[in-house]
Amino acid sequence: MFGEGWCVTLSPRPVAETLRVMGVAEPVECPEGLDGASRFLEEGAGAFVLGREVRGGWVLAVEFDSWAGCEHEVLGALSAGGRTAVGAYRDPDTKTATVAHDGDVLGFLELSGGYFGGPSGAVDTGHPVVRSLTAAGFDASDACEPTGEADTEEPDGCLLLAVRVLTGVTLSAADFEGPWSGGALRSAC
């Protein structure tokens, strides 16, 4: 799912706005796709992000050497106005998705375990977004025991399920192909 990227974000905003919120000062076209993104590294860009529109008006963003798409401020801005945004990152030991709605971070999905925790430990299980995740089997209790579709040991499968539940988009390999827009981040995260 992540390929060489460190963070994958689903945003309800247009591509250019998503990229600017994430920290790209001047997005440029990258018609050669993710495979051609190495030019940003060759140009000494450091951290960079690429974005493209996918079904339903959603924007898929992939970051390299950064995880701005999981920062509370970024997800808050992307989800403002009653919208939902999701940012997932990986490091060698962790695969986590951060979920925001209407400007607030609701919590974190531990993708390796299929459970959901709140930003301060407690989860608002009555929130409609959280209810949609628990209906798919993500556990928001202290037991941390997923059920149903979320009861999988594959973190990428949990991410795909969460994205589908939260956005209605079923991501596939084809969503990572084709032209993108993007550029270097103003400040690396």
Side-chain angles (χ1 to χ4, degrees), residues 39-173:
R39 73 176 171 145
F40 291 109
L41 294 173
E42 293 166 3
E43 295 169 1
F48 64 96
V49 62
L50 298 176
R52 72 187 308 256
E53 189 171 316
V54 293
R55 291 163 304 293
W58 288 90
V59 168
L60 172 64
V62 178
E63 294 177 66
F64 300 82
D65 290 335
S66 170
W67 44 83
C70 285
E71 291 183 355
H72 291 210
E73 301 80 24
V74 170
L75 284 175
L78 293 175
S79 69
R83 299 173 179 179
T84 300
V86 181
Y89 74 93
R90 69 165 182 187
D91 66 24
D93 300 320
T94 307
K95 288 187 178 180
T96 303
T98 305
V99 180
H101 180 77
D102 199 19
D104 294 317
V105 170
L106 299 177
F108 313 95
L109 280 169
E110 173 49 56
L111 299 171
S112 297
Y115 59 88
F116 189 72
S120 59
V123 178
D124 178 4
T125 56
H127 193 285
V129 171
V130 175
R131 282 197 322 260
S132 69
L133 291 168
T134 58
F138 291 101
D139 190 1
S141 74
D142 291 337
C144 301
E145 293 292 330
T147 60
E149 286 185 83
D151 189 14
T152 177
E153 293 190 22
E154 293 185 47
D156 288 352
C158 281
L159 176 58
L160 291 172
L161 173 60
V163 166
R164 188 183 80 224
V165 167
L166 296 170
T167 68
V169 174
T170 300
L171 288 175
S172 69

